[in-house]
Amino acid sequence: MSLTPHELETYLSALVRGQLKIATMIWGPPGVGKSSVVSQIAAAHNLEFVDVRLSQLAPTDLRGLPVPEADGQGSGVSKWYPPEFLPREGHGILFLDEVNMAPPTMQGMAQQLILDRKVGSYELPDGWFVWAAGNRKEDRASVFDMPAPLANRFLHLTVRADFDSWRSYALGRGLHEHVIAFLTFRPELLHRLDPAQPAWPSPRAWEMASHLHRAGLDVSPAIGEAAGAEFSAFVRLFEQLPDLGEVLSGGGAGLKLPDEPSVRYAAVVGLAARAASADEAYHAFQWLGSAAGPEWLQLYVATLVSKFQAIGQLGELAGLLGRDPRLAELVQGTLALTEGV
């Protein structure tokens, strides 16, 4: 079952709401956001989140250490003391990441925890879900085959990179508008695995690139030389933009939108990313309505809706509906489309 990150979030949320404690395996290429989605699910449902990287553990790290104890009759037994990171109470998600990068002996130890919800003398509390994640062989990851009995006890979900899901995440996280605008223009560069290079574009790498760019640093160490060169060329286009702050304040009547498509992408996404209120969003819509065609208005509204949804400001969207019938139609159409995904 192949899902976008948004669809994966919806599916996993349904498991939580239904209290379906079925072990679930999430497959996908590196950097696509598997662990991020799971941590967001935990936060959204007020669940604790324990992230265990199985590939970095030895079997005794999971089972615990044997400690001798006297039995009161002059002899003794060994008792297994489980590690402190395993939960002992409450409700949460135990996330076993990189499960198929762990060697077979480690997978065998994890199998008991996944199938029986216990290992050694440790038993997982009833309020906890057990989910896992791993990379696929076709992603050139150093993985081991998962034992058939273990694989057969999982639900198997595959997540793929998806620009709309990433855009919503990026807007909600406040990633740099230059990064969001560039990937709106070149969405095929959101995820491009290159096993021959140490750095290549992925959703995770673009988030790192955003931090580098905001600090005034070259983004190539995060996304690779080729994507980094394209991004740098795109950023130079922002010098051709009109004053977006003036547009948002309602004073853009004398400003013109350049004809170059890449510059228009930068302007439209920049306006949506910067709009902090219904007033600013409306001023930008009015300006674009006189300066650009309907496809650019649609892009602006789609980005704006995604941004306000991600940051939890749906009230700002409601404040737009009565201002312009054309704007109301685009907002409602975009909302209907996103709710139907």
Side-chain angles (χ1 to χ4, degrees):
M1 186 175 185
S2 179
L3 305 170
T4 67
H6 175 73
E7 291 167 341
L8 176 65
E9 185 175 353
T10 300
Y11 192 99
L12 295 176
S13 290
L15 292 180
V16 172
R17 288 193 301 271
Q19 287 296 299
L20 299 175
K21 304 286 194 331
I22 305 172
T24 300
M25 180 71 191
I26 304 167
W27 300 93
V32 79
K34 299 182 291 294
S35 58
S36 295
V37 169
V38 175
S39 66
Q40 289 170 39
I41 292 293
H45 294 273
N46 295 315
L47 296 171
E48 295 183 58
F49 178 60
V50 175
D51 186 348
V52 178
R53 304 298 169 108
L54 284 182
S55 62
Q56 301 175 13
L57 301 179
T60 53
D61 294 331
L62 190 61
R63 185 174 184 179
L65 294 173
V67 178
E69 289 191 353
D71 63 2
Q73 299 179 0
S75 59
V77 295
S78 291
K79 182 177 181 179
W80 292 93
Y81 276 29
E84 55 86 22
F85 59 77
L86 291 177
R88 287 162 175 75
E89 59 184 8
H91 299 77
I93 299 170
L94 177 59
F95 185 54
L96 307 177
D97 204 357
E98 301 174 349
V99 63
N100 61 333
M101 291 181 68
T105 53
M106 191 65 221
Q107 288 193 42
M109 186 62 63
Q111 181 173 336
Q112 185 182 6
L113 179 61
I114 295 165
L115 303 187
D116 303 327
R117 297 176 63 87
K118 61 182 180 181
V119 58
S121 59
Y122 169 79
E123 187 168 345
L124 187 69
D126 290 339
W128 284 75
F129 296 85
V130 181
W131 296 345
N135 300 135
R136 307 164 303 180
K137 281 187 175 181
E138 56 264 38
D139 300 317
R140 304 290 182 91
S142 300
V143 298
F144 296 90
D145 289 329
M146 180 178 288
L150 178 59
N152 191 240
R153 293 293 293 269
F154 274 118
L155 299 178
H156 293 273
L157 307 174
T158 300
V159 63
R160 65 182 186 275
D162 172 72
F163 174 72
D164 289 337
S165 297
W166 180 85
R167 178 180 61 186
S168 178
Y169 171 82
L171 289 165
R173 297 272 291 181
L175 267 61
H176 202 292
E177 69 183 64
H178 292 177
V179 171
I180 300 172
F182 174 70
L183 288 174
T184 303
F185 178 59
R186 291 276 279 137
E188 63 272 21
L189 286 180
L190 175 62
H191 192 279
R192 180 172 287 181
L193 176 63
D194 184 356
Q197 300 297 327
W200 40 268
S202 73
R204 178 170 56 204
W206 280 111
E207 185 165 2
M208 292 190 290
S210 174
H211 297 312
L212 292 173
H213 184 55
R214 183 164 276 125
L217 298 173
D218 181 16
V219 302
S220 297
I223 59 174
E225 295 292 337
E230 280 200 52
F231 176 74
S232 295
F234 183 84
V235 168
R236 288 194 290 272
L237 297 174
F238 278 77
E239 299 173 0
Q240 305 176 34
L241 291 182
D243 188 336
L244 300 187
E246 190 72 14
V247 173
L248 291 168
S249 68
L255 302 176
K256 292 185 178 181
L257 182 65
D259 292 329
E260 169 62 36
S262 54
V263 180
R264 291 195 165 201
Y265 272 101
V268 170
V269 174
L271 286 169
R274 293 189 196 183
S277 66
D279 285 339
E280 290 188 349
Y282 181 58
H283 292 152
F285 180 83
Q286 284 184 308
W287 183 74
L288 287 170
S290 62
E295 70 275 17
W296 298 104
L297 287 177
Q298 181 63 62
L299 173 61
Y300 168 73
V301 170
T303 307
L304 188 72
V305 168
S306 184
K307 193 270 288 287
F308 281 142
Q309 284 181 321
I311 63 178
Q313 292 187 3
L314 293 178
E316 298 296 341
L317 290 176
L320 293 172
L321 299 181
R323 300 195 178 201
D324 184 309
R326 183 174 48 164
L327 176 56
E329 181 181 355
L330 286 170
V331 170
Q332 291 172 334
T334 302
L335 285 171
L337 184 63
T338 57
E339 291 170 358
V341 171

